Amino acid sequence: MGRLRNKKGMSIVELLSAIAVMLLVTVVLVTGVRLGVKAYTKSVSMSEAQILCTTLTIAVSDELRYAGTVHIDESGSVGFFSQNVGGDSQTGSSFTSDKNGYVLLGETPILSKSSYPYGLKAEVTVTMDEADKIFNAKVTVKSKNNTELSANEFQVKPIRRSSLEINHQ
């Protein structure tokens, strides 16, 4: 009978206290991991936006550098004859974005769909300084909820600037 009285173990209060401490530690760990994943995703998304902006800047500047006849309408929208895409003889090709936020030149995408990770969207606007025959362009990359993540404004001098034909519509 002496053995039963010397039983050692945990009381219910000690057991509940241990479970409460374990739950608290688990909640802190889960919260920390969630914040870490969120920060990582935001960082990668920003990095991808900068890469997309740089890639679009290069593609747009290459197209504008070799532009043929330029067409400018009343609203200031610039269309041009593209060496790669061609263009309508009256309006030329211009940069637009489709419903998914992919940049098009005329009807042709200038980058593949895989270039727009994490739901990124892009816009390109082009104007022209007619006196100096220089294109002014802006590339903007936005998140899927339309927050601007990266932008780049630049100027492009066409190679055949002296013989560049500019038509108004």
Side-chain angles (χ1 to χ4, degrees):
M1 278 229 229
R3 277 186 180 172
L4 292 176
R5 290 186 188 171
N6 291 333
K7 244 174 87 166
K8 294 193 178 180
M10 296 179 72
S11 70
I12 190 78
V13 172
E14 292 171 329
L15 184 61
L16 289 175
S17 298
I19 290 172
V21 168
M22 287 176 58
L23 284 173
L24 184 63
V25 168
T26 303
V27 167
V28 168
L29 284 174
V30 167
T31 303
V33 168
R34 264 195 203 143
L35 288 174
V37 168
K38 186 177 181 180
Y40 172 78
T41 303
K42 184 176 181 180
S43 172
V44 169
S45 181
M46 288 294 292
S47 177
E48 290 290 343
Q50 290 172 348
I51 291 169
L52 177 59
C53 189
T54 301
T55 304
L56 284 170
T57 298
I58 292 168
V60 169
S61 66
D62 286 348
E63 287 292 337
L64 294 174
R65 187 168 288 116
Y66 296 102
T69 305
V70 176
H71 303 277
I72 302 173
D73 66 13
E74 307 86 36
S75 67
S77 179
V78 175
F80 59 94
F81 181 80
S82 167
Q83 298 292 327
N84 297 322
V85 177
D88 185 308
S89 61
Q90 298 298 314
T91 60
S93 295
S94 59
F95 291 104
T96 58
S97 295
D98 67 7
K99 63 180 178 162
N100 297 317
Y102 303 150
V103 176
L104 308 172
L105 178 56
E107 299 294 320
T108 307
I110 62 172
L111 297 176
S112 68
K113 292 178 183 179
S114 62
S115 300
Y116 299 85
Y118 300 102
L120 295 177
K121 303 174 185 179
E123 296 174 352
V124 175
T125 56
V126 178
T127 59
M128 182 166 210
D129 179 351
E130 293 182 54
D132 293 330
K133 294 185 177 179
I134 295 176
F135 291 106
N136 298 305
K138 181 177 182 180
V139 175
T140 307
V141 177
K142 298 180 179 181
S143 66
K144 57 182 152 188
N145 59 0
N146 288 327
T147 303
E148 185 175 308
L149 300 176
S150 184
N152 189 14
E153 291 186 49
F154 55 98
Q155 293 183 325
V156 178
K157 292 181 184 178
I159 288 180
R160 296 173 287 202
R161 223 168 49 153
S162 60
S163 64
L164 189 66
E165 182 181 329
I166 300 174
N167 296 327
H168 291 276
Q169 299 170 355

